[in-house]
Amino acid sequence: AGLKAVGRVESTRLIGDHSSTETREFLCSFTDLPRFAAAVRQHWSIENQQHWILDVQFGEDACRTRRDHSAQNLALLRRMALNLLQHNGPPKDSLRQRKLRAALNDNYRMELLLGEHNRKTI
């Protein structure tokens, strides 16, 4: 219901002499090509920015966990932690400051996990 188009994007990546091409398809509720292009660019901009933060703040690229589903599980936990830290805490504090406070302060960590409204019960 509401499907009006299927969009397709092909990306070619060059690293030295090696090139690779990736194709992605999108289901769309609109047919406007400039709108589609803007939506795809915005999506990948957010993805790339999140990946950079996860790599710098959580060392995601350095993680060598490969057994069973451990890599996916740790990636999910890192994204959950990033979401909690980005959307809670003093607005002026950096992500690094919030991570450090959560690591050192049990009350702050519980506040992040349980939410602001449970603060008095901690």
Side-chain angles (χ1 to χ4, degrees):
L3 178 65
K4 294 189 178 183
V6 176
R8 182 177 177 176
V9 175
E10 284 189 13
S11 301
T12 302
R13 184 175 175 187
L14 299 172
I15 300 176
D17 294 339
H18 180 62
S19 71
S20 62
T21 302
E22 182 179 298
T23 302
R24 296 181 302 274
E25 288 156 356
F26 300 86
L27 303 177
C28 302
S29 59
F30 53 86
T31 59
D32 182 30
L33 186 58
R35 182 176 171 194
F36 171 72
V40 170
R41 284 189 197 102
Q42 181 183 12
H43 169 78
W44 286 105
S45 170
I46 292 167
E47 277 293 317
N48 290 336
Q49 183 180 16
Q50 182 187 49
H51 176 76
W52 184 85
I53 291 172
L54 287 168
D55 188 30
V56 170
Q57 292 292 330
F58 292 90
E60 188 171 59
D61 286 349
C63 181
R64 297 294 173 229
T65 306
R66 301 284 184 262
R67 190 172 181 124
D68 299 326
H69 297 285
S70 57
Q72 292 91 337
N73 292 339
L74 287 172
L76 177 64
L77 289 172
R78 281 190 288 270
R79 282 164 177 74
M80 288 171 56
L82 177 61
N83 192 34
L84 283 172
L85 291 168
Q86 283 181 328
H87 293 96
N88 297 293
K92 292 183 179 181
D93 283 359
S94 69
L95 189 60
R96 184 177 184 185
Q97 289 171 316
R98 292 177 192 189
K99 266 181 40 185
L100 183 60
R101 183 178 296 118
L104 299 176
N105 185 325
D106 292 338
N107 289 333
Y108 180 70
R109 187 170 50 253
M110 291 304 289
E111 189 178 304
L112 286 174
L113 292 171
L114 300 176
E116 196 84 30
H117 62 279
N118 291 321
R119 186 180 213 168
K120 291 184 174 102
T121 62
I122 297 175

